[in-house]
Amino acid sequence: MGSRPRSRRPARRWLANAGLVVASIVICLLAGEIGLRLTHDNVSLWRWPNFIAEATKPDPAAMPEAVRYDPELGWEPRPGAVDEVYRRRIDFSFEGFRIARPRNALPSESSKGSSREVPILAVGDSFTEGWGLEVDQPWPARLEAETGRAVINAGVRSYGLDQIVLRTERLLGLLKPPLKPSLVILAFIEEDIDRLGDAAHSRRYKPWFAPVDDKTAPDGLALHGVPVPPAPYDGPTHLWRRVLGYSYLADAVMRHLDLYELWQGVNLPNGVSDTDLVACRLMQRFARDLKRHDLPGLVVALPEYREWAMPALHVVAHRRNEAVLKCARDAGLRTLDVWDDLEKAGIVRSPEDFNNDGMHLNARGQAIVARSIAAALQ
């Protein structure tokens, strides 16, 4: 006798059950979507915009971008650009540095070769550039007032520690007297360490380093992503962002999970998990470049608002920043953590007295940073 044919009922039952599960999930998600829209005043059942498109669309009233594409760094200040942040004007010199004085008083025009005016080169991110601060308020401008020495502000918004080091290498190869510096001060925040894990940041592609054990790389790093793609980064997969972008529920969940940058297609991870190791090796690379130019260096750790407003986060950030500073000291560099001076001034007791915009130090905090650096240089 031949074998009896298998019953198709189990397969049909499985498909039916799977269909019920899918239908239940869809109904629950739809109910959650409707429930949120009924209970939140900022959305409506009758209007369904794409939240990702709304959040990332260009502002037609915005000023032309103060940065331009750069194939090696990702972006850099546009020479001679004028920007406005929080109704505060930011001017850049034609060398791409933030101007701390009127254009007719740049170091290149006022120093006249005086040894007293051999400038200090300040490199870093938006904390150094002075995002949202008046012309004389960033710490490089305040340091100039404290010391009487010209300070070149080469900070660039949204830079990671990798870009800071790479731009410093470029500048040291390009700057000639009277702009050739006598000292380089590198300032960083904890997020600059996190940015070492990005292949794209703030919708712009960037270079990045991966740690390697290859002895041919003296700093133990391999550079990737160069030349940097010129087109803006728009998320790893378009389709799901285009579809799910209409869901207020999905938007709220991604906010709650702190995955909103990925959700919007703002940042792209590069796969490097140990960014602390990369940061340490970048200090070795930075020190090696300074030695090649026979220049001293100072590495400064700055705090972000979340650190002084939430002590538990400060513990983690302080540990990571101190690890970078130790690597810098081991490489022969001088270091400074300005936290103690800010804490003595009351940054923990009265966090809002030092807050500019929910991330950056305001003018009061920047002035303390400048005084701390000036004291360290004596």
Side-chain angles (χ1 to χ4, degrees), residues 127 133 303-306 308-309 338-369 371:
F127 276 68
L133 295 173
E304 306 167 53
Y305 172 76
R306 60 185 179 180
W308 70 78
V338 300
W339 176 257
D340 287 344
D341 289 336
L342 288 166
E343 189 175 34
K344 290 175 184 176
I347 197 170
V348 176
R349 296 191 306 271
S350 306
E352 294 309 315
D353 290 344
F354 296 81
N355 175 34
N356 190 46
D357 56 1
M359 180 175 182
H360 298 86
L361 288 162
N362 62 12
R364 179 181 178 183
Q366 293 268 343
I368 294 171
V369 169
R371 288 196 294 270

Side-chain angles (χ1 to χ4, degrees), residues 63-94:
M63 300 180 68
E65 282 196 307
V67 296
R68 66 180 182 181
Y69 164 74
D70 185 275
E72 297 175 347
L73 301 173
W75 60 93
E76 66 172 357
R78 189 181 299 278
V82 177
D83 197 9
E84 186 176 287
V85 181
Y86 310 138
R87 297 185 179 181
R88 292 165 181 167
R89 178 167 167 150
I90 298 178
D91 291 86
F92 292 90
S93 72
F94 290 101

Side-chain angles (χ1 to χ4, degrees), residues 209-233:
F209 287 96
V212 294
D213 295 325
D214 188 350
K215 294 182 179 180
T216 61
D219 45 24
L221 295 172
L223 181 61
H224 296 272
V226 177
V228 177
Y233 169 67

Side-chain angles (χ1 to χ4, degrees), residues 13 31 42 52 60 76 87 114 158 227 270 275 362 365 370 378:
R13 188 179 299 116
N42 57 327
I52 294 177
E76 66 172 357
R87 297 185 179 181
S114 169
S158 300
N270 58 29
T275 55
N362 62 12
Q378 291 179 355

